[in-house]
Amino acid sequence: MASEDVAQLADSLAKTKVGEGELSYKGRGLKFDNAQSVEELVKDVENFQGLQALRLEGNTFGVEAAKAIAMALEKKSQLECCYWSDVFTGRVRAEIPPALTSLGSALMTAGAQLRVLDLSDNAFGPDGVKGIDALLKSSVCHTLQELRLNNCGMGIGGGKILAAALTVCYKESSALGSPLKLKVFIAGRNRLENDGATALAHAFKMMGSLEEVHMPQNGITHPGVTALASAMEHNPQLRVLNLNDNTFTKKGAIAMAEALKKLRNVQVINFGDCLVRSEGAMAIADALMEGLPILRELNLSFGEITQEAALVIAQAVRDKAQLEKLDLNGNCLGENGCGALREAMESMNMGDVLGSLSDDEGEPEEDDEDDEDEDDDEDEDDDDDEEEEDEEEEEEEEEEDNEDDGVKKTEQDVKQEEILAKPQITTVSTPVSSSCPPDVASFLSFPSPDKLLRLGAKRALLIEQQVDVTDAAKTVEAFLKISSVFKEESEVKNAVLDSVDAVLKKAFSSPSLQSYSFISVLLVMLGLIKSEDKVKPVQVVPGHLLALEHAVRQDYFPREYVAVLQAFVSRQSKSVGSCASARSTLLSTLAQIRPEC
């Protein structure tokens, strides 16, 4: 080693920080290639009595240097914290696994009991995870509380190896009577994707001890998000959840929202840049209304959330006394929407909680919203595409079979198809059960005022008995079909409203129905919100809105959704443009009810 290098090393080591039980070389920028270069560091480790924490961040170590340090660590049984992030800068990837294996073996020989293992910013890939596999499975990590592997490039393979190692660690520690209780898990920027995230989710569910989970920028879409949501439900002490810059879409957001309802200790949620969109935002708003009592920070920025959904979020946080920051920047509110959101927050004395809206994307054009449906197909997992292809193949085969069998459509068949193709008929599956009485089945399939009246005095009971109110889509379809025959004529009007009351009262009293789901499906079917699913809205008629106006005034209707309806119905929309009078009546009633909520 050159004399100037020795002098530089001596000067750096002189600056080494020694705290209570901690030896730190953090941020020295030194390069240790071999055993000779690391001699002074090794001596410091050997001479440190009661070493509990070793900080090596911001230096770079070759294989031989790592082996030399490992020999010194073999006698350090009290070591608890290894802060070894960014310790392989400039090294080829092949050097990293053997270096990690040496260090891990030393800790096992020493019989250390780790609390913190930080190997972030080492970019060691799946092979690097193999280098710590034995360590993670060993008794050294039975006591591990914090595992930090941010920006390591683990990939799907590394994620699976890591998940398997944590699973073994948990099972073996549990068999000894002291199960692994990992509290902090950090693995951002690792390209885990769905398979890696799902594998880890299984381990998380098993442990049930997590308090902080940070997994941003991992290319996770709704299947992986759904798996993580299921795992989070089993970690009741969770305080921080950061999944920034993954792709939730509606399916992932709804799954995560359902999980959040069950968690009472969450303080920080970061779903920024996760494409939760409006439907997902409403699901999260529902979770806010039902749970999350001590939430301090909520980040839903850059999620393609529209004004109406943002206002629903604002209403949902009004009772969050500990909320310090709400980030809705970079969404699609438009200038008026930003103003309305600020006004809403200020009216609740929470103006200082709302973050900047300077990067708002502007209110989406109608064409943009239409294109959104096409984009959603690309956001979903490839499994969806495969299912569609299979269905198309089956349909083609059926058509070929029909042609071969000489099956031809009759004029009656054609007429029936024309009726079913009318926009008044929803694309949601029929709510009628196979045991439905003929008159009720006829009405729900092709509703008319005369058919409703012919059901007689018990029509409301008959209809209510045939609707599966545990299914939000079927309940909404029944509501829309009943209300579509609304007339001001008293006999028809009363028959419609009585039937609507019977169905909705039963639905909202059912513990199996998620009231949020009903509202969300209803808004989609009325054309007031875009759906990621291929569901086309009905042709809205005044009866739909007038029956809804009646329903919101009833005791069975959930008051927390009055503001949601008001926000969306008040929006200028082509879908309800032909029902101006009915829309005005509904809005007037919603405005009267809302102050009471």
Side-chain angles (χ1 to χ4, degrees), residues 293-351:
I294 59 173
L295 188 67
R296 292 193 294 107
E297 295 183 18
L298 175 60
N299 184 347
L300 294 175
S301 60
F302 297 94
E304 294 190 4
I305 298 170
T306 60
Q307 170 189 340
E308 295 77 21
L311 291 173
V312 174
I313 289 288
Q315 290 296 322
V317 301
R318 61 182 174 183
D319 295 325
K320 305 301 175 190
Q322 299 184 38
L323 190 67
E324 298 173 1
K325 184 176 181 181
L326 173 61
D327 191 348
L328 288 168
N329 197 21
N331 283 297
C332 304
L333 310 184
E335 184 176 350
N336 292 335
C338 289
L341 180 60
R342 292 190 189 96
E343 182 180 345
M345 294 297 289
E346 288 171 1
S347 70
M348 298 183 292
N349 295 319
M350 300 179 73

Side-chain angles (χ1 to χ4, degrees), residues 446-464:
F446 303 100
S448 73
D450 288 341
K451 288 181 181 180
L452 181 61
L453 294 179
R454 283 203 299 268
L455 291 177
K458 293 184 178 180
R459 65 179 67 87
L461 177 62
L462 290 172
I463 294 173
E464 170 252 298

Side-chain angles (χ1 to χ4, degrees), residues 9 86 102 112 152 182 204 469 502 515 530 546 572 584:
L9 177 60
D86 190 21
S102 297
C152 290
L182 189 67
F204 296 162
V469 296
S515 53
K530 289 290 180 179
L546 293 174
Q572 293 298 325
S584 177

